[in-house]
Amino acid sequence: MAHLEANGITIEYEDFGPVDGRPLILIMGLGSQLTRWPLVFCEHLVSAGHRVIRFDNRDVGLSSHLQDAGVPDMGAIMAAMLEGKAAPVPYTLDDMAADTAALMEGLELSAAHICGASLGGMIAQTLAINEPQRVLSLTSIMSTTGNRDLPPATPEAMAALMSPAATDREGAARRTAEIAAVIGSPAYPADPAELKERALADFDRATNPAGVARQMAAAATQPDRRAALAELRLPSLIIHGKDDPLVPVAGGIDTHEAIPGSELLVIEGMGHDLPRGLWPQISQAIARLTQGV
C-alpha cells in the first residue's frame, strides 16, 4: 500500500508488476474500494505484461473522505436537473477524472492504459475525453454513456443499491450477499464464504456511507458523453454482461456505438460484477487491446 497527494486530496494506491510493464490504471465503481479489483485478477494482468495500478477513488477506502462537503440533497439535485439548471453536487466526474490524471502525474506516468468498471468506466471515459494524450487505450466495463434515453436499472437492482448502509461487520456481510444475489452474474454465482470474507475485510478497511452518496450524486448528474466519445481516436474495448440488471447491456452497446472503431465484448451470464470464472477471459481481452498499442 502507498499513497500520494494529488489534485488536492490523498490517494491510496497499489502498484503491481514490473516498472517497465505496460502501465494499466484500474478505476473501480460506486463506493467500491481498490480491493474490488481482486488480487488474482491483477496478477493475471501482470502476467500478461502490465504494470497494474489500482487505487481508491476520492471518498472511498483509504483515500480522502470529503466530509466537509456534506451529504448531497438528491431531491434538490433531481429538481435542478429537471429544470435544466446546474445541480448542486459536491464534485463531478470531471473532478474524479482529474484525480486519476493527478495520480498518473505523481507516479511519473505521462500516459497509460485506462480501465474502469461501472462508475469507474464513466470516469475512464471522462479522462479520455478531457485528456486524451494521457490515455493509450480505454477499457470500459459494465458502464454507459450518460444517455438518458437508455433503459434504467431494474427496480430490484436499484432497491438493492439504495438499501441502508451497514453499521456493523455482520450487517456488511449480509448486505453484500443480498446485493450480489440481485446484481451478480447468474451464470457465475459468487462463493458465499468468499463473498463474506471480502465484505468483512472491506468493512474493516474503511466505510464511508456519505462518500458513497457524494459519488452517487456525481454519477447521477453525469453528462451525455456520446458526442465527445465520437471524437475519440484511441483503441477501445467495451465489456458488458448480457444479464446486467443495474447498468443494462444497452449502456455498453451505446458506448461501443459512440466510440469509433471500438471493440464490443458482451458476455452471456455476466451481471454487474467481476466473477472469478471470467477473470481469465476479461484479463486476456484487456491484454489483447494493450498489446496492440
Side-chain angles (χ1 to χ4, degrees):
M1 289 284 186
H3 65 270
L4 54 77
E5 304 301 312
N7 200 30
I9 63 172
T10 300
I11 298 179
E12 187 78 12
Y13 71 94
E14 288 187 336
D15 197 336
F16 304 93
V19 174
D20 60 351
R22 299 191 302 284
L24 176 63
I25 310 285
L26 302 179
I27 312 174
M28 193 25 85
L30 178 70
S32 296
Q33 303 185 48
L34 60 79
T35 51
R36 292 300 180 95
W37 293 109
L39 182 57
V40 174
F41 177 75
C42 293
E43 290 171 347
H44 279 299
L45 292 167
V46 169
S47 296
H50 297 103
R51 173 188 176 187
V52 175
I53 296 139
R54 62 179 185 175
F55 70 99
D56 288 327
N57 282 311
R58 61 168 62 198
D59 256 337
V60 72
L62 303 181
S63 289
S64 291
H65 294 183
L66 281 68
Q67 306 297 33
D68 290 347
V71 179
D73 183 339
M74 293 304 295
I77 289 170
M78 293 300 127
M81 291 176 66
L82 287 172
E83 293 175 9
K85 298 178 180 177
V89 294
Y91 50 78
T92 66
L93 294 186
D94 290 303
D95 296 315
M96 299 185 79
D99 292 344
T100 308
L103 171 65
M104 292 171 60
E105 228 172 75
L107 295 174
E108 299 183 349
L109 291 172
S110 59
H113 301 278
I114 307 296
C115 173
S118 196
L119 173 64
M122 302 174 198
I123 297 167
Q125 292 172 27
T126 303
L127 177 63
I129 291 166
N130 292 350
E131 302 196 54
Q133 75 282 1
R134 292 192 178 277
V135 181
L136 298 173
S137 73
L138 170 66
T139 300
S140 180
I141 304 174
M142 55 190 176
S143 195
T144 187
T145 60
N147 178 359
R148 302 288 190 265
D149 293 328
L150 292 174
T154 65
E156 296 80 9
M158 186 53 67
L161 185 70
M162 300 299 290
S163 61
T167 57
D168 57 38
R169 298 177 85 246
E170 289 306 313
R174 184 168 54 252
R175 182 174 185 266
T176 297
E178 291 169 352
I179 292 174
V182 176
I183 70 172
S185 298
Y188 304 90
D191 176 75
E194 188 176 301
L195 205 60
K196 181 175 182 178
E197 181 182 1
R198 187 190 73 191
L200 294 176
D202 279 355
F203 185 84
D204 290 343
R205 185 173 182 265
T207 181
N208 183 24
V212 178
R214 289 188 286 271
Q215 288 190 352
M216 190 175 294
T221 55
Q222 60 170 310
D224 187 332
R225 291 180 297 280
R226 285 176 294 170
L229 290 172
E231 298 298 318
L232 294 182
R233 298 295 183 271
L234 75 164
S236 302
L237 169 65
I238 316 304
I239 301 174
H240 217 107
K242 190 173 182 181
D243 299 284
D244 189 333
L246 187 61
V247 181
V249 67
I253 294 170
D254 202 46
T255 308
H256 163 61
E257 291 177 346
I259 302 176
S262 62
E263 176 188 351
L264 176 65
L265 173 59
V266 174
I267 302 178
E268 296 275 353
M270 177 180 169
H272 199 78
D273 62 355
L274 290 171
R276 179 180 288 274
L278 291 176
W279 294 349
Q281 181 180 359
I282 292 173
S283 61
Q284 287 164 17
I286 294 170
R288 285 194 297 273
L289 178 75
T290 64
Q291 283 167 354
V293 179

